[in-house]
Amino acid sequence: MAPENLVRIFIGNLLHCTEKLKIESLENGFVAVQGKQIISVGSSSFLNQHINKLKSEFEVQQIHLKKSQILIPGFIDTHIHAPQYPNSGLGYDKTLLDWLESYTFKLERNFRDLQFAKTVFNALIRKSLDHGTTTACYFGSLFFEANMVLVDSVIKHGQRALVGKVNMTQSPLNDYVETEDESLKNTVRFIENVDALQTDLVQPIITPRFILSTNIPHMKELAKIAKNNDLCIQTHISENVEEVRIVRETFGMSYAKAYDESDILTPKTILAHGVHLSNDELKLIAKRGASIAHCPGSNTCLKSGLCDVTKLLEYGIKVGLGSDVSGGPSPSIREVMKLALDTTVNIASMKDNHKPLTYTEVFYLATLGGAEVLSLDKKIGNFVVGKEFDALIVDLAVEDSYTDYFPQYMEYSPLENLQKFIYCGDDRNIVKVFVAGKEVKTRDKYLKI
């Protein structure tokens, strides 16, 4: 059966966000998918009528979810460093700048070895898909060839991704640095090579590492490349107090102002962390329409501080979640959601009249909020007619997971199943992953046993 003649109808309990910080629960609802596109969404009362109508034009396949299962949009990781994956769990006795010099740069320079790069990237993409990340925004390497290996790995495993060639003209290592001319030429070359693949799954993203690894004139040139090619930009901002101090001493202005002078604060810019932004900086970021990738795991492990997401949202700033591997120890966005909840509760304990985020609100950050951050919300992030079907089937009754399920004694609502998954779940609860309508192979490590 040709894909265009087949309509799959997923029937069961559906959860997604249709507006900012709001969740919609469709009990016994349905999503109809033709190829990669969602063609209808509705409640059970319209299901039979809709199936009969579809059967007159298409071959119809019905997929019925169990009561222990929920269908949710795929998770979106708005900030992750692909070459850092082997260092996950290492160096957390240090703070950011020491950690970069002691661990990170030394590892990343090894990605001249393309077999090493292939091994690492394949492992990371498989693992992130296992954990439900259907879309990832990757910092790549300094090296053009390694970044193309990363792109190939993403396509091979069927993930959706933004991939950036890191730009870094200042470095403590003389064998892991580039000239401005090399940076610009290889960035353009990378964009051209990704575009030549003509894949809908991967797009390039302009990636100056952070302002201390480059300079304002250089970033202005990168901003021109982004504008000319209508690309997103990703970088870091105000992660660590010492880093913020050095930026002010070096450039004579705030972190956000320096980026604004560099022309990289745009509606398509993703700023990772934003822990120590002043009110004036928040106003500037909001005015420019830039976004923040909230990385609570990394902020805790590297002792950078607690990011007040509630305050970011109050300023009208778009916010998504990032694993920040290997600043964060895990590529699991489910785990990041729980860490974001822990962070907001800790902030509330120190601030009067501070309302913590709820589990439904961090679910928004992990799905539709992340899509908005990556400028992909017209394509993915929820179950809306016309969007592509990126989705997870989560089962709370899977054997040997962390979640014990007692349906013979208790009846759980879809929202309760989601809450249990966020707080108690693991990758074994994710039983199916779909990207652009296609079921993606996951959990290879278990299949090989």
Side-chain angles (χ1 to χ4, degrees):
M1 178 61 61
E4 61 270 18
N5 293 324
L6 175 66
V7 172
R8 290 165 294 159
I9 304 180
F10 295 82
I11 304 165
N13 294 325
L14 322 175
L15 294 163
H16 69 150
C17 296
T18 54
E19 55 184 298
K20 188 173 184 178
L21 299 175
K22 299 288 180 64
I23 193 167
E24 179 180 60
S25 175
L26 281 173
E27 295 194 37
N28 298 314
F30 69 89
V31 176
V33 181
Q34 181 184 14
K36 63 183 179 181
Q37 193 172 58
I38 297 168
I39 62 170
S40 58
V41 181
S43 62
S44 57
S45 58
F46 299 101
L47 179 58
N48 290 333
Q49 176 185 352
H50 195 64
I51 288 175
N52 291 333
K53 181 181 178 182
L54 288 170
K55 281 183 174 179
S56 66
E57 300 180 58
F58 305 102
E59 181 76 18
V60 174
Q61 177 188 10
Q62 298 180 45
I63 300 99
H64 291 268
L65 276 64
K66 303 174 186 177
K67 286 188 177 181
S68 61
Q69 295 178 332
I70 52 177
L71 182 73
I72 62 176
F75 293 145
I76 298 172
D77 190 337
T78 61
H79 184 66
I80 178 169
H81 293 261
Q84 294 179 19
Y85 184 52
N87 273 353
S88 297
L90 299 178
Y92 301 148
D93 56 327
K94 300 184 180 300
T95 53
L96 174 66
L97 299 180
D98 289 338
W99 172 80
L100 286 170
E101 290 197 28
S102 300
Y103 283 90
T104 304
F105 295 149
K106 291 177 181 179
L107 171 64
E108 289 187 11
R109 69 181 177 185
N110 293 326
F111 280 79
R112 290 184 179 91
D113 182 338
L114 299 187
Q115 185 56 51
F116 175 61
K118 183 177 180 180
T119 301
V120 170
F121 296 153
N122 282 337
L124 172 59
I125 293 164
R126 284 200 306 266
K127 182 61 67 68
S128 62
L129 283 166
D130 285 351
H131 284 283
T133 296
T134 53
T135 300
C137 188
Y138 289 113
F139 267 63
S141 165
L142 203 65
F143 310 120
F144 165 81
E145 291 82 2
N147 291 317
M148 292 309 301
V149 170
L150 175 56
V151 170
D152 290 342
S153 293
V154 168
I155 295 171
K156 172 186 174 183
H157 295 289
Q159 194 175 53
R160 191 187 300 275
L162 282 70
V163 177
K165 176 243 174 297
V166 168
N167 295 280
M168 188 167 67
T169 58
Q170 306 292 325
S171 168
L173 303 179
N174 58 18
D175 61 347
Y176 192 57
V177 70
E178 60 189 349
T179 67
E180 291 183 22
D181 186 57
E182 289 170 337
S183 171
L184 298 173
K185 285 182 177 178
N186 282 326
T187 295
V188 171
R189 181 185 174 202
F190 176 67
I191 294 167
E192 291 173 346
N193 277 261
V194 175
D195 287 347
L197 295 173
Q198 296 184 323
T199 174
D200 190 49
L201 286 179
V202 184
Q203 57 181 278
I205 179 170
I206 301 301
T207 309
R209 186 173 209 120
F210 68 144
I211 196 165
L212 294 177
S213 66
T214 179
N215 58 58
I216 290 175
H218 180 215
M219 284 198 294
K220 280 181 176 285
E221 293 302 313
L222 291 170
K224 289 179 184 177
I225 295 173
K227 184 176 181 180
N228 291 340
N229 292 277
D230 191 26
L231 298 179
C232 291
I233 300 169
Q234 63 178 343
T235 191
H236 300 82
I237 191 169
S238 297
E239 180 177 357
N240 168 279
V241 171
E242 178 67 7
E243 168 207 16
V244 172
R245 182 189 65 78
I246 296 172
V247 168
R248 183 168 287 281
E249 288 183 355
T250 303
F251 296 96
M253 63 187 79
S254 72
Y255 220 135
K257 181 64 175 174
Y259 279 153
D260 199 40
E261 291 290 316
S262 304
D263 298 333
I264 69 163
L265 284 188
T266 78
K268 298 187 74 170
T269 297
I270 304 110
L271 304 165
H273 303 289
V275 179
H276 303 287
L277 293 166
S278 68
N279 291 343
D280 285 343
E281 288 179 293
L282 292 173
K283 290 176 185 176
L284 177 58
I285 290 168
K287 182 178 180 180
R288 297 292 183 251
S291 306
I292 297 288
H294 176 43
C295 307
S298 172
N299 295 341
T300 301
C301 287
L302 296 176
K303 298 168 283 295
S304 296
L306 302 177
C307 179
D308 189 346
V309 171
T310 300
K311 187 174 183 180
L312 300 178
L313 294 170
E314 287 172 351
Y315 273 83
I317 296 172
K318 295 171 290 186
V319 180
L321 297 180
S323 65
D324 195 23
V325 166
S326 68
S330 169
S332 167
I333 291 298
R334 182 212 61 80
E335 188 170 320
V336 174
M337 281 192 279
K338 185 175 182 306
L339 292 170
L341 289 167
D342 293 341
T343 296
T344 193
V345 169
N346 285 330
I347 292 173
S349 70
M350 297 181 287
K351 285 186 175 183
D352 293 333
N353 302 317
H354 184 281
K355 185 182 176 182
L357 296 171
T358 65
Y359 75 93
T360 59
E361 289 170 337
V362 297
F363 176 72
Y364 160 81
L365 299 181
T367 55
L368 182 58
E372 291 168 348
V373 165
L374 302 186
S375 299
L376 290 172
D377 51 302
K378 294 197 181 337
K379 180 178 283 191
I380 58 171
N382 55 11
F383 302 134
V384 170
V385 172
K387 290 192 178 184
E388 295 187 11
F389 186 67
D390 287 10
L392 313 176
I393 296 178
V394 174
D395 193 342
L396 277 297
V398 171
E399 292 184 6
D400 299 324
S401 77
Y402 288 144
T403 55
D404 287 321
Y405 204 71
F406 305 100
Q408 66 272 42
Y409 301 108
M410 300 178 66
E411 185 172 337
Y412 299 98
S413 71
L415 280 170
E416 287 173 331
N417 280 336
L418 175 65
Q419 187 174 13
K420 283 180 72 71
F421 173 59
I422 292 172
Y423 279 101
C424 305
D426 61 48
D427 62 308
R428 288 167 290 191
N429 295 113
I430 300 173
V431 294
K432 288 188 182 294
V433 177
F434 300 89
V435 180
K438 181 179 179 181
E439 184 176 350
V440 178
K441 184 178 179 183
T442 57
R443 299 175 65 78
D444 287 354
K445 57 187 178 298
Y446 300 110
L447 295 174
K448 292 177 182 176
I449 294 174

